[in-house]
C-alpha cells in the first residue's frame, strides 16, 4: 500500500494526514501523539475512528497540524484520519458516518459586527 493522504478541518485548525501501513505509530509535527496531546481525552478523540474499525495497530500516521486550539486540532485530525480510512477501504464509510466521524463540523467563530462590542453583545441600553 502506498501513502494515502487526506485533510481534516475544524474551526481554524487544519490537519494534513498521511497514512501508510505500519505498527500504529502516530506522529504529529515530528512529535509523538502523547507529547503533542498530553490530555488523554484528546488522545481518545484522535484514535476514535481507528478503534471503531479495529485498525489501531495496522497503520502509521504522519500529520502536519496547524492553526486553532488543541480541541479543534484533535477534531480536525479525527476527521482527516476518518477520510484517509475511507480512501483505503470504502466499505468502512457507513460505520464511520454512523459514528459521526466523516462529517465536517461547520461551526466557526461568528464575525464581530460594527457598532457592537462583540458578535452578538450590545452596549448597555439607557432609556433616559
Amino acid at each position: 500500500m502506498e501513502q494515502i493522504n487526506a485533510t481534516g478541518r475544524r474551526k481554524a485548525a487544519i490537519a494534513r494526514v498521511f497514512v501508510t501501513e505500519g505498527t500504529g505509530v502516530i506522529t504529529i509535527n515530528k512529535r509523538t501523539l502523547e507529547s503533542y496531546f498530553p490530555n488523554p481525552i484528546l488522545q481518545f478523540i484522535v484514535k476514535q475512528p481507528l478503534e471503531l474499525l479495529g485498525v489501531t495497530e495496522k497503520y502509521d500516521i504522519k500529520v502536519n497540524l496547524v492553526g486553532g486550539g488543541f480541541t479543534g486540532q484533535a477534531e480536525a485530525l479525527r476527521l482527516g484520519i476518518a477520510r484517509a480510512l475511507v480512501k483505503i477501504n470504502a466499505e468502512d464509510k457507513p460505520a464511520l458516518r454512523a459514528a459521526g466521524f466523516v462529517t465536517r463540523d461547520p461551526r466557526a467563530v461568528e464575525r464581530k459586527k460594527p457598532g457592537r462590542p462583540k458578535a452578538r453583545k450590545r452596549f448597555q441600553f439607557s432609556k433616559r
Side-chain angles (χ1 to χ4, degrees), residues 11-81:
K11 289 173 141 185
I14 301 169
R16 293 197 314 258
V17 179
F18 304 93
V19 178
T20 53
E21 278 189 19
T23 57
V25 179
I26 300 175
T27 310
I28 306 166
N29 295 349
K30 298 179 180 171
R31 290 162 61 187
T32 63
L33 173 69
E34 288 74 23
S35 70
Y36 196 89
F37 292 121
N39 186 339
I41 294 167
L42 297 177
Q43 293 173 25
F44 171 75
I45 286 171
V46 168
K47 291 179 181 175
Q48 274 180 313
L50 297 166
E51 287 175 1
L52 178 75
L53 301 175
V55 293
T56 312
E57 307 295 317
K58 195 175 176 186
Y59 300 113
D60 283 347
I61 300 170
K62 187 173 165 287
V63 186
N64 292 339
L65 199 49
V66 292
F70 44 83
T71 304
Q73 285 190 344
E75 292 179 10
L77 179 49
R78 179 176 70 184
L79 175 61
I81 290 170

